[in-house]
């Protein structure tokens, strides 16, 4: 790729510098490269312990989808199992549920960067980000130990936050997943199991299985909890073994790979700006939906809006979700955390009583106020109203950050 023009101090200069190569960083670099009018540098960790393993990102979108060539699988139907075994299977047409693995998505993004003469990739460990005259500077360390000072007019930092903002409620969505291969055909490749509550429920929060069939004999199977603290690896393995053998009754199977992660579910307010030339994107910029942990679709909306603003000569990071959606999420998180609502029953009822396409738009924050009211009437009204009345009087307290970076940015989301 073409080297950028250097300033008087020999420091490369670009219009935009993107820090981090997770879903948010890759997506913004891709948008800017395909627009073609902005010079962009992507700083990603080199091979080694700081580089995350391959991850899984999921989202829903109608056909045609721009990432279809990179997707591992898609599903036309979604299923939820209640604690009593009740099955709810829905068709969210025209939406389809999609799964991307990070490796093919990276290849798609790097191909776009290769085609753009004003783009380049720097493999180094980013450290401090500070404002400088005319923009911002990112201090990096190369794999050889050399220090780089990369400057740009604007920096978009996608690294997960070291600390979470003060919040009234914080739950963690934490999980471990197995990529399994069975000896017999056990899966329906057309149906994704979003939530299977036929697993033992924790004393606090909720737990569910999650199954994405990749073929009749292959699937990604996860055990997920919404609770206050992650489990040990042994505890996840035990829960996964019970789910696969006792609930799904897979028979003989082989675990070919595993993944694990933690996603913060909080009503804290993530600042999207860290200075006049420094912005936060992705989970660090509030793109993770507080009540579900889904991130990838919001990252795409955010990236498109940033690229459009830069094309018009502006710099801004729009909020990934509207105030109404965040207010409803705050109520739900508090109701789950206090135990006022039964989580498995709540989510099973939503899928049973709400048209699937409308529910998925609701989870994306894309429904109208009247649609929101209609969906709200399918929830336990009294405890939700009590929680809504209580929330404005609760203090926001500092919270520790999650102990693992999100994969979905999510493996699921």
């Amino acid at each position: 790729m073409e080297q950028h023009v250097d300033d008087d101090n020999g420091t490369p200069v670009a219009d935009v510098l993107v820090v981090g190569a997770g879903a948010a960083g890759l997506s913004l670099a891709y948008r800017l490269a395909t627009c073609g009018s902005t010079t962009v540098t992507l700083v990603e960790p080199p091979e080694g312990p700081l580089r995350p393993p391959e991850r899984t990102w999921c989202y829903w979108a109608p056909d045609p989808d721009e990432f279809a060539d990179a997707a591992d699988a898609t599903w036309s139907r979604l299923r939820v199992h209640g604690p009593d075994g009740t099955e709810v299977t829905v068709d969210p047409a025209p939406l389809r549920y999609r799964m991307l693995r990070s490796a093919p998505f990276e290849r798609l993004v790097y191909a776009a960067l290769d085609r753009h003469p004003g783009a380049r990739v720097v493999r180094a460990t980013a450290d401090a980000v500070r404002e400088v005259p005319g923009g911002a500077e990112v201090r990096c360390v190369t794999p050889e130990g050399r220090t780089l000072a990369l400057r740009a007019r604007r920096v978009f930092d996608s690294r997960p936050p070291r600390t979470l903002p003060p919040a009234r409620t914080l739950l963690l969505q934490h999980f471990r997943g197995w990529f399994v291969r069975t000896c017999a055909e056990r899966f329906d490749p057309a149906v994704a199991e979003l939530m299977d509550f036929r697993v033992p429920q924790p004393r606090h929060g909720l737990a569910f299985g999650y199954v994405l069939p990749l073929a009749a004999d292959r699937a990604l199977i996860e055990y997920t909890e919404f609770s206050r603290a992650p489990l040990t690896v042994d505890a996840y393995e035990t829960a996964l073994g019970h789910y696969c053998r006792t609930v799904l009754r897979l028979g003989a199977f082989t675990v070919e790979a595993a993944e694990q992660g933690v996603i913060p579910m909080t009503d804290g307010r993530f600042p999207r700006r860290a200075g006049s030339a420094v912005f936060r994107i992705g989970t660090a910029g509030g793109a993770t939906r507080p009540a579900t942990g889904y991130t990838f679709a919001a990252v795409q909306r955010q990236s498109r809006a940033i690229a459009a603003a830069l094309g018009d000569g502006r710099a801004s990071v729009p909020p990934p979700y509207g105030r109404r959606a965040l207010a409803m999420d705050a109520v739900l998180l508090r109701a789950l955390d206090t135990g006022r609502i039964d989580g498995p029953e709540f989510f099973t009822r939503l899928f049973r009583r709400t048209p699937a396409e409308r529910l998925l738009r609701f989870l994306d924050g894309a429904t109208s106020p009247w649609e929101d009211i209609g969906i709200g009437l399918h929830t336990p009204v009294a405890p939700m109203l009590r929680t809504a009345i209580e929330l404005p009087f609760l203090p926001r307290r500092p919270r520790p950050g999650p102990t693992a970076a999100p994969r979905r940015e999510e493996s699921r989301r």
Side-chain angles (χ1 to χ4, degrees):
M1 299 176 193
E2 189 173 279
Q3 180 73 18
H4 294 176
V5 178
D6 290 356
D7 67 8
D8 293 339
N9 297 317
T11 303
V13 173
D15 293 325
V16 170
L17 197 153
V18 179
V19 181
L26 289 169
S27 297
L28 180 56
Y30 173 79
R31 298 294 172 195
L32 296 177
T34 52
C35 288
S37 59
T38 301
T39 57
V40 56
T41 296
L42 173 65
V43 180
E44 66 168 16
E47 296 295 334
L50 294 179
R51 190 173 181 85
E54 189 171 10
R55 294 138 289 161
T56 306
W57 300 313
C58 290
Y59 63 104
W60 43 82
D63 288 325
D65 180 57
E66 62 184 321
F67 301 134
D69 292 342
D72 269 35
T74 66
W75 298 271
S76 59
R77 287 179 289 153
L78 306 176
R79 184 167 57 211
V80 172
H81 269 101
D84 60 355
T86 302
E87 177 182 316
V88 181
T89 302
V90 298
D91 181 349
L95 303 177
R96 293 175 66 89
Y97 197 64
R98 303 174 187 275
M99 169 182 163
L100 282 177
R101 295 285 282 162
S102 58
F105 186 62
E106 287 172 358
R107 291 193 291 271
L108 181 148
V109 173
Y110 295 149
L113 293 173
D114 281 335
R115 292 191 296 268
H116 180 34
R120 68 171 184 158
V121 176
V122 174
R123 290 180 172 86
T125 302
D127 187 12
V129 180
R130 67 186 184 98
E131 302 243 358
V132 297
E137 179 183 86
V138 179
R139 307 287 291 189
C140 306
V141 179
T142 69
E144 300 76 29
R146 185 165 58 94
T147 300
L148 293 178
L150 302 175
R151 290 189 178 184
R153 293 176 179 84
R154 299 178 182 93
V155 170
F156 293 86
D157 193 346
S158 70
R159 294 174 297 175
R162 295 180 180 177
T163 60
L164 296 175
R168 295 165 297 196
T169 309
L170 170 63
L171 293 175
L172 299 178
Q173 180 177 160
H174 52 96
F175 54 87
R176 183 170 176 83
W178 287 344
F179 287 87
V180 305
R181 185 183 294 272
T182 56
C183 292
E185 295 185 350
R186 299 292 186 183
F187 307 108
D188 181 350
V191 182
E193 183 92 43
L194 286 191
M195 289 181 160
D196 187 344
F197 294 109
R198 297 174 297 170
V199 297
Q201 294 299 311
R203 293 181 61 185
H204 182 272
L206 61 90
F208 56 90
Y210 175 70
V211 183
L212 297 183
L214 306 176
D217 61 346
R218 291 189 303 117
L220 168 60
I221 301 177
E222 292 184 0
Y223 173 81
T224 299
E225 283 192 13
F226 293 1
S227 59
R228 294 175 180 172
L231 306 180
T232 64
V233 172
D234 286 345
Y236 287 122
E237 293 281 294
T238 299
L240 274 167
H242 173 268
Y243 181 54
C244 290
R245 297 182 178 95
T246 305
V247 178
L248 297 181
R249 299 181 181 180
L250 296 185
F253 65 89
T254 302
V255 178
E256 299 182 325
E259 62 180 19
Q260 185 170 321
V262 180
I263 303 169
M265 303 174 70
T266 172
D267 65 351
R269 297 167 179 167
F270 288 83
R272 301 187 304 280
R273 196 159 196 156
S276 60
V278 181
F279 305 84
R280 293 190 177 98
I281 58 174
T283 295
T288 296
R289 183 73 193 260
T292 65
Y294 280 98
T295 306
F296 192 83
V299 159
Q300 301 314 311
R301 293 195 299 271
Q302 196 176 61
S303 298
R304 291 188 196 98
I306 293 170
L310 290 173
D312 293 337
R314 299 177 289 108
S316 65
V317 177
Y321 304 101
R323 292 182 180 179
R324 191 173 70 253
L326 295 178
M328 290 186 294
D329 282 2
V331 173
L332 175 57
L333 286 178
R334 178 70 180 174
L336 286 172
D337 192 40
T338 58
R340 288 177 187 151
I341 62 172
D342 180 290
E345 171 60 24
F346 175 88
F347 286 107
T348 304
R349 180 190 296 182
L350 273 185
F351 274 89
R352 183 186 300 120
R353 298 186 178 182
T354 308
E357 186 268 346
R358 184 185 305 166
L359 181 57
L360 294 189
R361 284 194 293 108
F362 172 76
L363 297 178
D364 259 346
T367 42
S368 69
W370 291 113
E371 288 175 316
D372 291 343
I373 291 172
I375 293 172
L377 292 175
H378 294 319
T379 68
V381 175
M384 297 293 274
L385 280 177
R386 176 187 172 189
T387 304
I389 293 170
E390 170 190 76
L391 271 178
F393 302 99
L394 297 177
R396 295 180 182 270
R397 296 188 175 92
R399 306 281 180 166
T403 57
R407 104 202 112 160
R408 284 173 281 214
E409 280 204 65
E410 334 124 11
S411 172
R412 149 196 349 275
R413 320 303 191 188

